[in-house]
Amino acid sequence: TVALPGMGTKKLTFNTTQIQEKAQAARAMYEHANALGVAFGPYAETCASAFLPLVKFKYSPEVRSTSAQTLSPIFNAACQYALSTGGDAA
C-alpha cells in the first residue's frame, strides 16, 4: 500500500508476468535480428520503434537493458539491408 496525497492509502499491483514477457520478447527479437542479419532489415524500423520506448521502461531494469541490447542487432540489420539494396546506411 502507498499513501497518496489527497487520495489516502491505495494498493498498487504490478502484473509481473507481463513485465517478464516484455523482457523475453526483447531477448527473442535480439536472437532473431542477430541470426537473420540482412534478412531482418525490412523489419528493423518497426522493431526499433517498438523497442526504443522500452529503453526507458521504469518498472524493470531487465526490460531496459534487454531492449537496449536488442537495438544493436536491429541497427546492424538495418545498415546491412540499406547497403545491400543500394540505400544509404548513414
Side-chain angles (χ1 to χ4, degrees):
T1 59
V2 176
L4 299 173
M7 298 182 73
T9 302
K10 298 288 180 180
K11 182 179 179 180
L12 297 177
T13 58
F14 287 99
N15 189 337
T16 56
T17 301
Q18 285 186 341
I19 292 173
Q20 290 172 341
E21 287 175 356
K22 284 181 188 293
Q24 289 173 344
R27 189 66 186 161
M29 197 58 62
Y30 172 90
E31 296 297 338
H32 279 82
N34 207 28
L36 292 172
V38 69
F40 192 81
Y43 312 102
E45 184 176 356
T46 303
C47 288
S49 297
F51 283 102
L52 276 172
L54 292 178
V55 173
K56 295 188 282 185
F57 189 71
K58 64 182 178 178
Y59 301 111
S60 171
E62 183 182 5
V63 170
R64 287 192 302 270
S65 65
T66 308
S67 297
Q69 291 171 353
T70 300
L71 289 171
S72 177
I74 290 173
F75 180 74
N76 289 338
C79 291
Q80 291 172 5
Y81 180 72
L83 290 173
S84 72
T85 59
D88 185 13

